[in-house]
Amino acid sequence: MLTLEDTLDAAKQMMAFGEDGTDGAQAEQPARIQGHKARRTVKSIIRIGNETEEFVRRWDNKLKLYIPVK
Amino acid sequence: MKLGTRNLYLVLHHQLNDNTHRVLLADSIAQALDDWGASSRLSPIWATEEFSRGPDIDCRFTGTRYVTFLGPVDPMKLVRELKLDDHRSQLDVYITVGCFNVIVCTEDNAIGQEISGTLVEWAISKEVAFEQWRIVDGIVQKCTLGALSAHRAQEKIKKLAAFSSSDFPAHLAAVLQELQATAAASLSRAEAIHGPTFSYISEVVDGIIAIIGSFKSGTSDAFLLQTSLQQCNAALSRFASQATAGIPPIFEMQGHFWPHSLLGIGTANLAVRQLVAFIERVIGEAQLPQRVLRLADQTDNLPAYTSLVVGSGLLDFDILRETTLPAVTGKPLLPLVSFFSGRDGYSSKLQTLSLPSSALTECNSYRSNLLTVTHEISHIVIQALLAKISPTPGVPKDPEWVSRLWNENDGARNLLESTRKLFLEATLSIELTATTTIQGSEKKSMSKELHELLRAHRQETQEILVHTFDFLYFYRGDTEYYVRSIWLSWCAIPGIEDRVQEYLLRTLSAISANFQDISSEKRFGRALAILKPLLEKLAPTIQYPVNYIETALARISLMESDRNVLDEYDLLYNNRMLLVRLVKVFLHSDTLEKELYPAAIEDREFLSLDGKPIGNPLQYLASHLKNDVLEVESTWLFNILAFDPFFGAAVAG
């Protein structure tokens, strides 16, 4: 179904995430659904890679574009 | 030729006391299992209406009879070319899902002997495998074998055998040895019965050799090789033991799928291979993951952030039109190894595809719907796509583009990065609504390592991408057909009630690919308004103890009565819209979708085998989906799919 290159790329990423394949519906785990209302302001801090650098951004203006604010 | 609905079982007892083989035809499974021994075997077979002399005079093996097994072969090709219509009163023809899918029984008279001889001559001239038994009062007295031999397997087997375990890490020795033995058995058995199946297995083995080569050249590591070989070993082993059971000599080739232990399920395997090969030829050959990589060449007129995440400006983008691939020679795709498994059901790995054994008896039921393979194949495409657009733990170059795309509104330098930005935005927004903690009255914050975040939502993001991909390509955006198919298949799985709300979100998300052009304020309401009546129509048809559709409808009712619940779902739904948008804009192609449905459907009389092309396997199977089916319908459909002239030699890829 895939080229050798795409197969290897996908396999490497799956292994990096600790996966070994795609499972059907019977093996799926339910994702969490928690009760949250949309907030106007969200601050996120994401650490990327091994660097100590932290990225801080305000999420509100962007989020509003595709999430209706109640 | 039309299949009858009478279910018969061909039973073979190896009688150890006198070392003879006794054959009988049973009318029921109870009768078939009567006097069962350690070496007994059986397979279901189906009488044909035109070539059946009825239960009193058909092949009951009293007196002297000839029984000729042939296959895999188009039954109508055999009937027409041998003009069997001229001898209807002299023979019985049965159809099976085994590798030998046609069985012809004649009596030991002049005409019967002539027909039996002609069958053998025809099989030899057409390179069709066969086996013929002369049976006297139920005991096989003489056995003539007709295996094919092209002497092509040895070359490939030697190539694999040349890999020495001493050239690999010690922990790979066992898996390599298993591969060598499994591939040798698969290749030699396939060669003995069917040229196209041999070519297919050869391509699988070539793919495995290429993966071994990538390890030896240093482009992949030992763990990746181990995983790949283990998966291929397991799949190839199951394919070979299912597709090449019951081949010459039948006495020695027992099938391990016990309801088909006499003749195996080779024709069913072949039918699935045809279906998968058809999809590989369209979706696989398009190489969508490679095309997404090619988006890096597009650096002008990049979409601004706003038009990337909302609006209709990008909705006409067609990745097939916008990208070109370098010319590739040879066959670039690694074919999927498909097999049936009662344990694995419908599931896939990058190189393998499993189908539930229940599909053998109800492939056109909504419960075991053969078309579910499209969901599993979509998983494989999306896994390959994610490798191009999602950061991978441990890849040194990824943090640079991740931080740039996350911190700058228009940080994308090309269209590939725009795709990545859409994916990152989607993952982060799902994370924010799922796990952030509230700080102060109106603020939430989160702190998480990048890959922890990606890992946490990888399955859900993947499912939304897969559902949308499946919906747009394989269901052609037909909401009613899609909802009916996926919910009726979910309803057949016991014990997943706690997943219903997630399935509800996935359904709402996927069907929203049809209306990405409307505003986000209206979209969720539109999706609910479309889905609810469809579920209401389906709910009364569910006859299981737990009705997941009722559970979903109860959840929708709660949304309608409780604003907080509605807002909660609205938010979760809209977070997933960026993933739907990603598929709609950057993966879907109207041009490619049309290639999946190239011809109008050619229907035929129920249970009739006439050799006419079906036009399109996806549409043909879809048109035969029902709630309640007869087992013979699966035998009928497998025999149509396996030998449909529309596919040509698709088996070999």
Side-chain angles (χ1 to χ4, degrees):
Chain A
M1 185 68 200
L2 302 174
T3 62
L4 175 64
E5 178 190 342
D6 288 343
T7 303
L8 293 176
D9 282 355
K12 285 173 188 171
Q13 185 178 73
M14 289 164 70
M15 289 190 68
F17 279 109
E19 303 165 343
D20 71 346
T22 60
D23 292 315
Q26 293 181 27
E28 289 169 10
Q29 295 299 316
R32 284 171 292 184
I33 297 186
Q34 299 175 0
H36 290 297
K37 289 185 179 181
R39 300 281 165 178
R40 290 177 186 278
T41 307
V42 177
K43 182 176 73 172
S44 62
I45 303 170
I46 315 291
R47 295 190 302 279
I48 298 177
N50 296 323
E51 305 297 321
T52 54
E53 190 178 8
E54 287 188 342
F55 297 92
V56 181
R57 64 180 289 186
R58 297 179 70 79
W59 200 247
D60 53 348
N61 290 330
K62 287 185 177 179
L63 211 60
K64 277 196 295 190
L65 280 173
Y66 55 90
I67 295 183
V69 177
K70 305 294 179 185
Chain B
M1 183 163 57
K2 192 173 178 184
L3 296 183
T5 56
R6 194 157 60 98
N7 193 351
L8 299 168
Y9 297 88
L10 188 62
V11 183
L12 178 71
H13 295 293
H14 185 179
Q15 302 180 135
L16 300 177
N17 56 339
D18 56 1
N19 197 26
T20 58
H21 291 86
R22 182 164 59 89
V23 187
L24 64 92
L25 200 58
D27 288 307
S28 66
I29 190 76
Q31 190 183 354
L33 296 177
D34 190 37
D35 199 24
W36 196 256
S39 301
S40 300
R41 291 156 61 189
L42 85 167
S43 272
I45 65 173
W46 304 91
T48 56
E49 288 194 355
E50 294 85 346
F51 302 97
S52 176
R53 292 173 294 168
D56 297 330
I57 55 171
D58 67 6
C59 189
R60 295 291 157 163
F61 310 118
T62 51
T64 304
R65 302 292 177 102
Y66 286 96
V67 177
T68 310
F69 301 86
L70 302 111
V73 64
D74 177 358
M76 275 315 293
K77 177 183 164 80
L78 185 146
V79 167
R80 281 186 184 136
E81 293 194 6
L82 288 173
K83 297 186 172 56
L84 293 187
D85 272 333
D86 298 344
H87 306 289
R88 282 190 185 188
S89 60
Q90 303 292 325
L91 50 83
D92 299 287
V93 175
Y94 300 90
I95 303 297
T96 85
V97 294
C99 176
F100 281 145
N101 62 310
V102 180
I103 304 173
V104 182
C105 298
T106 57
E107 293 182 42
D108 186 28
N109 52 29
I111 293 177
Q113 286 179 6
E114 183 187 336
I115 293 171
S116 300
T118 306
L119 283 169
V120 169
E121 287 171 16
W122 181 86
I124 292 170
S125 69
K126 299 293 180 183
E127 295 191 335
V128 173
F130 70 94
E131 181 162 329
Q132 193 170 73
W133 295 346
R134 184 169 180 269
I135 300 171
V136 178
D137 292 332
I139 304 295
V140 180
Q141 300 287 356
K142 185 185 174 190
C143 179
T144 307
L145 305 179
L148 312 181
S149 183
H151 304 292
R152 290 185 292 164
Q154 270 307 311
E155 181 188 347
K156 198 80 68 182
I157 292 168
K158 282 179 182 169
K159 200 170 176 181
L160 263 181
F163 290 115
S164 167
S165 57
S166 61
D167 295 337
F168 295 85
H171 70 276
L172 287 179
V175 74
L176 182 66
Q177 185 176 310
E178 184 183 346
L179 169 73
Q180 290 165 322
T182 305
S186 306
L187 286 163
S188 53
R189 283 176 167 221
E191 182 182 46
I193 49 150
H194 194 220
T197 302
F198 172 75
S199 300
Y200 162 54
I201 298 296
S202 290
E203 284 183 22
V204 170
V205 171
D206 285 342
I208 296 170
I209 290 173
I211 287 173
I212 295 174
S214 71
F215 168 74
K216 293 181 86 72
S217 66
T219 53
S220 66
D221 62 29
F223 284 121
L224 191 150
L225 179 63
Q226 183 181 359
T227 303
S228 178
L229 293 189
Q230 281 172 337
Q231 289 172 3
C232 286
N233 280 348
L236 204 52
S237 174
R238 289 195 236 184
F239 175 86
S241 66
Q242 295 169 0
T244 63
I247 65 171
I250 293 175
F251 291 167
E252 298 173 19
M253 295 294 192
Q254 177 172 271
H256 294 154
F257 184 55
W258 300 112
H260 297 264
S261 57
L262 180 59
L263 297 173
I265 53 173
T267 293
N269 291 107
L270 200 55
V272 171
R273 177 59 205 154
Q274 294 273 46
L275 176 63
V276 173
F278 173 78
I279 296 170
E280 283 176 348
R281 265 196 295 185
V282 179
I283 298 294
E285 295 286 354
Q287 297 191 33
L288 292 172
Q290 285 295 320
R291 286 181 184 275
V292 168
L293 271 191
R294 286 275 159 178
L295 294 177
D297 298 337
Q298 299 198 21
T299 55
D300 297 331
N301 304 316
L302 298 176
Y305 179 83
T306 306
S307 57
L308 185 65
V309 297
V310 292
S312 55
L314 287 172
L315 295 181
D316 290 333
F317 186 87
D318 187 318
I319 191 156
L320 215 65
R321 201 173 54 224
E322 299 287 340
T323 56
T324 52
L325 295 173
V328 178
T329 54
K331 292 178 178 172
L333 302 184
L334 308 184
L336 287 175
V337 187
S338 48
F339 57 89
F340 290 87
S341 167
R343 190 190 69 169
D344 292 349
Y346 280 113
S347 62
S348 61
K349 310 278 186 190
L350 288 171
Q351 296 164 260
T352 66
L353 174 68
S354 167
L355 299 92
S357 47
S358 61
L360 284 166
T361 52
E362 50 176 38
C363 75
N364 60 325
S365 74
Y366 281 106
R367 290 185 296 272
S368 302
N369 184 357
L370 200 62
L371 288 168
T372 308
V373 298
T374 65
H375 177 86
E376 300 309 325
I377 289 173
S378 300
H379 262 295
I380 294 167
V381 176
I382 294 300
Q383 286 282 17
L385 168 79
L386 285 174
K388 314 299 183 197
I389 65 171
S390 167
T392 301
V395 175
K397 66 183 180 192
D398 285 359
E400 183 276 324
W401 61 258
V402 172
S403 57
R404 177 160 42 78
L405 295 180
W406 247 334
N407 280 287
E408 299 170 27
N409 267 0
D410 295 315
R413 293 170 179 169
N414 54 55
L415 213 47
L416 170 63
E417 291 200 343
S418 298
T419 315
R420 289 171 167 171
K421 189 176 182 72
L422 205 48
F423 173 75
L424 290 172
E425 294 280 356
T427 305
L428 185 55
S429 60
I430 288 173
E431 164 72 15
L432 289 171
T433 48
T435 62
T436 48
T437 54
I438 299 172
Q439 291 187 342
S441 59
E442 282 293 321
K443 290 184 181 178
K444 294 197 284 188
S445 70
M446 57 161 289
S447 175
K448 191 167 270 188
E449 196 270 329
L450 171 67
H451 297 126
E452 183 190 342
L453 183 156
L454 292 169
R455 187 178 283 113
H457 303 293
R458 191 168 152 86
Q459 183 181 356
E460 179 60 6
T461 53
Q462 190 180 137
E463 287 292 346
I464 299 295
L465 293 169
V466 166
H467 278 264
T468 309
F469 188 93
D470 195 19
F471 173 69
L472 285 175
Y473 273 114
F474 297 107
Y475 292 84
R476 289 188 291 174
D478 183 337
T479 305
E480 183 171 3
Y481 168 39
Y482 179 71
V483 169
R484 192 182 338 119
S485 294
I486 60 171
W487 278 91
L488 292 186
S489 69
W490 282 332
C491 282
I493 304 170
I496 56 166
E497 192 167 20
D498 59 341
R499 298 183 200 168
V500 168
Q501 50 188 355
E502 201 54 37
Y503 290 167
L504 186 55
L505 266 176
R506 288 176 193 173
T507 311
L508 288 164
S509 299
I511 65 173
S512 300
N514 279 350
F515 40 91
Q516 283 296 296
D517 53 337
I518 68 172
S519 72
S520 58
E521 286 82 2
K522 294 178 182 170
R523 198 183 294 128
F524 185 55
R526 169 81 69 90
L528 272 180
I530 292 171
L531 180 61
K532 186 182 173 187
L534 294 176
L535 292 180
E536 284 174 334
K537 194 174 160 189
L538 289 174
T541 69
I542 303 301
Q543 294 172 343
Y544 300 106
V546 180
N547 186 335
Y548 303 143
I549 295 178
E550 291 288 6
T551 310
L553 284 168
R555 180 62 59 163
I556 292 174
S557 293
L558 196 58
M559 289 182 216
E560 291 168 340
S561 62
D562 186 332
R563 185 60 194 237
N564 286 336
V565 176
L566 184 69
D567 288 350
E568 170 193 334
Y569 269 87
D570 197 345
L571 180 59
L572 293 165
Y573 164 86
N574 276 292
N575 283 332
R576 285 151 176 78
M577 278 308 99
L578 292 187
L579 296 167
V580 174
R581 190 173 173 82
L582 194 158
V583 175
K584 175 74 177 172
V585 173
F586 292 114
L587 278 187
H588 181 250
S589 158
D590 286 333
T591 317
L592 195 56
E593 183 195 316
K594 287 188 179 83
E595 282 186 41
L596 274 176
Y597 291 89
I601 190 166
E602 290 280 346
D603 209 352
R604 69 194 69 204
E605 190 185 350
F606 184 61
L607 299 184
S608 164
L609 296 168
D610 55 16
K612 289 181 189 167
I614 57 173
N616 179 294
L618 300 170
Q619 198 171 347
Y620 192 78
L621 283 170
S623 71
H624 288 89
L625 281 171
K626 331 171 173 175
N627 281 327
D628 298 310
V629 298
L630 300 170
E631 185 179 341
V632 66
E633 292 178 57
S634 292
T635 303
W636 173 53
L637 290 169
F638 285 136
N639 271 273
I640 287 175
L641 281 174
F643 308 108
D644 189 89
F646 180 81
F647 297 136
V651 172

